[in-house]
Amino acid sequence: MFKKILIANRGEIACRVLKSARKMGIPTVAVYSDADRDAMHVELADEAVHIGGAPASESYLVIEKIINAAKAAGAEAVHPGYGFLSENAQFAKALKKAGIAFIGPNVKAIEVMGDKIESKKFAAKAKVNTVPGNPGVIKDEKQAIKVADEIGYPVMIKASAGGGGKGMRIAHTRDDVAEGFRASMSEAASSFGDDRVFIEKFIVDPRHIEIQVLADAHGKCIHLGERECSIQRRNQKVIEEAPSPFLDEKTRQSMGSQAVALAKAVDYQSAGTVEFIVDKDRNFYFLEMNTRLQVEHPVTELVTGVDLVEEMIRVAAGEKLSYGQSDIQLNGWAVESRIYAEDPYRNFLPSTGRLVRYQPPEEGVDENGLVIRNDTGVSEGGDISIYYDPMIAKLITHGPTRAAAIDHMAKALDSFYIDGIGHNIPFLADVMKRKRWRDGKLTTGFIEEEYPDGFSPRTPSDEERDAMAAIAACLDHLGNERRREITQQMKGQNVSFVEARVVRIGGQDLHIRIDGGLGEPSTVRLLNDKGDTRASMVVASDWWPGMAVWFGTVDGSEKAVQVRPISNGYDLSHGGIHLPVYVYTEREAELAALMPVKALPDRSKFVHCPMPGLVVRIDVKEGQAVKTGETLCIVEAMKMENVLHAEKDGVVAKINATEGDSLAVDAVIMEFE
Ligand code: ADP
Ligand code: ADP
Ligand code: MG
């Protein structure tokens, strides 16, 4: 076995790989850029080597620097994680030349599978079902239209070197093809330095289902079942699960054997993933093979019990696979949510900054056998910088059934507390409540179809509203009790009396009576207009002022609610609901009703910078009249270009930024008349 391993990555995946190495007793070496001096992966590793500037192109992507670091530290093998150099054949070659083992497949497999055109041809030869379409490079618009006409609409135009959902366009008409061809080509050239594109049939309402394979250097290859990754935004996965609620045993077996056949055809070794697109009749077609550890590998680990990273390390060291196909059993269900630094209330724009608070749910197995796993690379006080992937963590749950895993995920998300930056937890929590998700009726269009107008916090049902109001009243009640404790006035006298409160929630005033002493459940009654009790509930919790998450029960049903104190109340969030709740005494409520409502400033005349970023292009001039939807400017942040459009017709009065400017969030880029 290797005496030392270097991990050529950062963030959660570097930490993930470190864990398996540590379990196997292998010392580890981390590498880090200027931006990652204090990062978790550096702290966790046995040794760390500084490799350069913050931009990945000056550090994590520089082959020579990684190899020098490995040599200097005496590492015998390198694990690349995902992204960065993980699917770079030059890197694998350079390591080989330096006599260092690459914990991944052979160079040929990376080369063939790294190219969508080549891999599709190769898969067809290995008798794997491929998406109908033309397997060649498209030269110009004329040929693009001809090929699209032959395939039949809709079609998908794709960059051969593509990855991460980039460089692909759907075309429904000839005009779309011309435009999509140009767009794919230029995106491919700028993102991948390779402008070859091809065209295939667009599979309508498809599901994304992929097979995990594992192979050794001695000719043995097995599959570990499937993962379904249909919940995507902009062709990027957001929620994944294993197994898929859609597959029957027969389809699973035939997808599994095609995946294994393909892996064998490229002499694959290590862990890899064969991605398929599946139509509503369970026809499946090969999309691509990812020759690395996949972001969503933990769901497979939880249902199979196999440590994929450990197997990758063993295989790279020349060991035989210790599992046969019949050893692989799928147990229960696992779901993964990708927690991204992006603001769901602002069209998922990337968000950067300091994690002022970062309190993930506790990992482990509970008394019912339900599992929470949190793969992360950050801790409280850490930074989410503009330089790298905006993923903060991957939250994974496992249970005996799909419903149990989803319920556990909902609870875990409700108790995952992050402050300081925008994040998508409210959105993920909302998905967990959606009927269509719970029914497993998925397609890759799920998010677009379920959230046609983007995401906004869910309006609570009357029952949910009452429960939130009751919890808010209890929070306030406890706060009062604690003040009495602190002043020692009532110390030792277990007093219990009824308090009257008015809870303002979602524009309504609820009159409440709350009863119960410190440390015991409270009985909360909600009154109707006549002052009679219309509902009554028992609220119990160990919450104490200052705690970020309220865990407790309302009439015996468990809940986790995030609590952020605001003036006169609390900002509460739970299950995709997120709203301020004010708690007043009856007299305060009377007075509060008389307070003038502060008018919000009119922001509609200004174009604000949606996140800290770089102005790449300004498309309009002062004095120019623009129409709704017209492009105003482009701001780049976290490797993504964000196009800002005019929200209404108007005339540009003043432009405050120029191309190349670095702007703070909410900086006014331009003003309208
Ligand atoms: P997965 O199927 O595992 O989600 P993705 O294709 O979404 O894989 O990519 C996984 C990671 O690799 C992401 O962090 C993404 O940003 C990165 N990535 C994917 N393709 C490339 C590429 N060509 N160059 C650099 N990073 C990439
Ligand atoms: P990447 O390398 O960026 O991951 P993929 O080829 O794996 O590219 O495609 C990413 C996603 O795009 C898929 O998960 C699927 O949602 C969608 N997609 C790709 N090809 C097709 C197709 N032919 N028909 C329908 N959807 C597709
Ligand atoms: Mg893919």
Side-chain angles (χ1 to χ4, degrees):
M1 186 42 68
F2 302 121
K3 291 199 180 59
K4 206 186 255 185
I5 291 178
L6 180 139
I7 295 133
N9 215 301
R10 62 178 303 285
E12 69 87 15
I13 197 62
C15 298
R16 161 70 194 91
V17 173
L18 271 160
K19 271 187 200 149
S20 286
R22 173 144 312 153
K23 187 180 83 182
M24 298 167 74
I26 306 170
T28 51
V29 185
V31 290
Y32 64 96
S33 71
D34 288 346
D36 279 338
R37 280 180 198 283
D38 301 318
M40 185 184 268
H41 74 282
V42 176
E43 204 171 304
L44 289 180
D46 297 303
E47 294 170 50
V49 182
H50 176 246
I51 51 165
S57 58
E58 295 172 22
S59 47
Y60 299 106
L61 283 170
V62 185
I63 294 175
E64 209 189 314
K65 289 189 173 181
I66 306 277
I67 291 185
N68 288 342
K71 281 184 182 159
E76 294 177 344
V78 171
H79 195 299
Y82 56 71
F84 295 134
L85 295 170
S86 61
E87 293 178 284
N88 186 312
Q90 294 310 321
F91 182 52
K93 271 187 206 160
L95 283 171
K96 198 169 184 180
K97 216 172 129 203
I100 300 166
F102 177 62
I103 304 177
N106 61 59
V107 173
K108 180 182 139 202
I110 301 173
E111 276 172 349
V112 173
M113 294 303 162
D115 189 285
K116 289 194 202 297
I117 292 178
E118 288 310 312
S119 67
K120 207 173 154 179
K121 287 184 191 160
F122 195 89
K125 252 192 277 164
K127 302 228 161 27
V128 172
N129 310 345
T130 56
V131 182
N134 187 302
V137 183
I138 305 291
K139 290 193 295 290
D140 51 31
E141 266 174 55
K142 218 175 111 199
Q143 192 197 0
I145 290 171
K146 186 168 163 275
V147 168
D149 281 351
E150 279 163 19
I151 296 171
Y153 294 87
V155 296
M156 194 144 193
I157 304 153
K158 275 180 157 181
S160 191
K166 271 197 178 167
M168 53 176 92
R169 292 286 185 286
I170 303 169
H172 294 274
T173 62
R174 285 184 168 191
D175 285 347
D176 289 353
V177 173
E179 204 185 307
F181 173 75
R182 266 174 285 159
S184 283
M185 224 166 109
S186 76
E187 202 167 301
S190 69
S191 299
F192 312 112
D194 175 346
D195 68 359
R196 289 169 308 131
V197 299
F198 67 105
I199 302 184
E200 64 187 19
K201 180 101 192 140
F202 178 73
I203 309 295
V204 180
D205 291 338
R207 301 172 78 119
H208 175 116
I209 301 177
E210 57 189 31
I211 302 283
Q212 175 73 52
V213 296
L214 196 52
D216 64 19
H218 307 277
K220 190 154 157 193
C221 180
I222 61 170
H223 71 85
L224 288 85
E226 79 282 7
R227 294 183 284 259
E228 171 144 10
C229 319
S230 297
I231 310 269
Q232 307 184 343
R233 220 175 58 77
R234 298 199 193 148
N235 299 318
Q236 276 267 43
K237 299 158 188 170
V238 182
I239 296 170
E240 303 100 340
E241 62 184 307
S244 158
F246 190 57
L247 287 198
D248 48 43
E249 199 48 38
K250 191 171 144 253
T251 317
R252 173 173 299 124
Q253 288 317 327
S254 83
M255 286 174 80
S257 42
Q258 288 202 10
V260 167
L262 180 64
K264 282 192 167 157
V266 271
D267 294 326
Y268 203 80
Q269 64 166 72
S270 193
T273 298
V274 182
E275 297 190 330
F276 293 97
I277 197 105
V278 184
D279 73 12
K280 60 183 194 318
D281 303 316
R282 291 196 182 81
N283 297 310
F284 59 89
Y285 308 97
F286 169 77
L287 267 184
E288 64 164 344
M289 179 168 189
N290 292 326
T291 55
R292 55 168 160 89
L293 189 63
Q294 199 95 334
V295 175
E296 57 276 16
H297 75 277
V299 291
T300 299
E301 294 190 322
L302 288 181
V303 296
T304 59
V306 175
D307 179 336
L308 285 165
V309 174
E310 177 175 346
E311 292 308 311
M312 288 177 86
I313 295 172
R314 291 195 182 286
V315 164
E319 289 186 17
K320 284 188 180 160
L321 272 189
S322 48
Y323 298 95
Q325 189 62 60
S326 58
D327 299 326
I328 304 299
Q329 303 291 335
L330 306 184
N331 292 313
W333 219 282
V335 175
E336 173 180 282
S337 298
R338 295 194 190 187
I339 307 207
Y340 283 120
E342 57 185 20
D343 189 342
Y345 306 123
R346 293 175 117 179
N347 197 21
F348 297 92
L349 283 167
S351 176
T352 55
R354 177 136 308 189
L355 291 161
V356 176
R357 267 191 114 156
Y358 175 79
Q359 192 181 306
E362 205 176 318
E363 291 186 281
V365 191
D366 76 1
E367 64 277 12
N368 301 315
L370 296 163
V371 178
I372 293 181
R373 167 170 165 182
N374 183 45
D375 281 18
T376 192
V378 296
S379 51
E380 195 160 280
D383 259 330
I384 301 291
S385 76
I386 57 165
Y387 298 107
Y388 314 112
D389 203 282
M391 201 163 68
I392 305 169
K394 300 181 318 204
L395 184 64
I396 311 110
T397 57
H398 181 262
T401 61
R402 185 168 189 268
I406 291 175
D407 286 340
H408 209 50
M409 176 61 76
K411 227 192 303 170
L413 286 167
D414 281 343
S415 59
F416 203 137
Y417 193 97
I418 299 178
D419 260 348
I421 54 162
H423 56 79
N424 66 341
I425 291 176
F427 171 72
L428 296 165
D430 192 74
V431 173
M432 293 303 142
K433 300 272 174 198
R434 294 261 158 158
K435 184 170 185 314
R436 186 174 154 196
W437 154 249
R438 301 192 68 100
D439 289 346
K441 297 211 172 78
L442 312 179
T443 69
T444 55
F446 178 91
I447 291 180
E448 257 170 40
E449 288 155 22
E450 286 284 298
Y451 302 91
D453 305 317
F455 173 68
S456 48
R458 191 160 64 86
T459 308
S461 66
D462 289 356
E463 212 172 282
E464 287 172 324
R465 178 204 59 204
D466 287 356
M468 301 276 265
I471 292 168
C474 290
L475 297 173
D476 174 74
H477 185 63
L478 265 165
N480 295 337
E481 295 278 353
R482 181 162 123 127
R483 274 193 288 280
R484 287 186 200 109
E485 271 254 313
I486 288 171
T487 56
Q488 302 284 317
Q489 283 169 350
M490 304 280 198
K491 184 111 181 133
Q493 314 177 27
N494 192 11
V495 280
S496 169
F497 48 86
V498 178
E499 285 188 314
R501 289 289 179 268
V502 178
V503 176
R504 181 162 295 169
I505 179 166
Q508 276 178 295
D509 280 352
L510 306 182
H511 289 262
I512 280 182
R513 295 289 176 272
I514 177 164
D515 193 349
L518 207 59
E520 56 185 60
S522 301
T523 303
V524 181
R525 287 183 294 126
L526 292 116
L527 310 185
N528 62 17
D529 292 347
K530 294 197 197 93
D532 300 326
T533 301
R534 68 166 171 83
S536 170
M537 51 193 102
V538 175
V539 181
S541 169
D542 294 332
W543 187 83
W544 199 243
M547 285 165 80
V549 182
W550 180 94
F551 291 101
T553 56
V554 176
D555 281 342
S557 119
E558 282 185 31
K559 280 193 188 340
V561 178
Q562 305 201 358
V563 180
R564 291 169 175 84
I566 52 176
S567 85
N568 296 321
Y570 311 91
D571 180 80
L572 299 185
S573 65
H574 164 79
I577 301 167
H578 185 174
L579 78 184
V581 185
Y582 303 97
V583 187
Y584 297 117
T585 62
E586 302 228 302
R587 179 66 183 141
E588 282 166 352
E590 278 169 35
L591 297 173
L594 301 174
M595 296 290 285
V597 179
K598 207 169 150 192
L600 290 171
D602 180 11
R603 288 171 60 110
S604 68
K605 281 194 159 52
F606 303 100
V607 176
H608 293 89
C609 191
M611 72 238 127
L614 183 80
V615 179
V616 181
R617 213 175 78 197
I618 294 185
D619 284 20
V620 292
K621 291 198 179 66
E622 285 181 5
Q624 186 178 334
V626 295
K627 291 246 168 291
T628 311
E630 214 169 294
T631 300
L632 300 175
C633 58
I634 298 178
V635 178
E636 189 192 88
M638 288 177 138
K639 300 187 286 185
M640 258 183 50
E641 289 196 345
N642 298 278
V643 181
L644 305 187
H645 300 283
E647 282 177 10
K648 54 184 187 190
D649 295 357
V651 176
V652 180
K654 192 157 174 277
I655 298 180
N656 300 322
T658 51
E659 288 169 12
D661 279 0
S662 261
L663 298 184
V665 64
D666 280 341
V668 177
I669 302 178
M670 60 184 79
E671 299 169 25
F672 280 88
E673 276 175 7

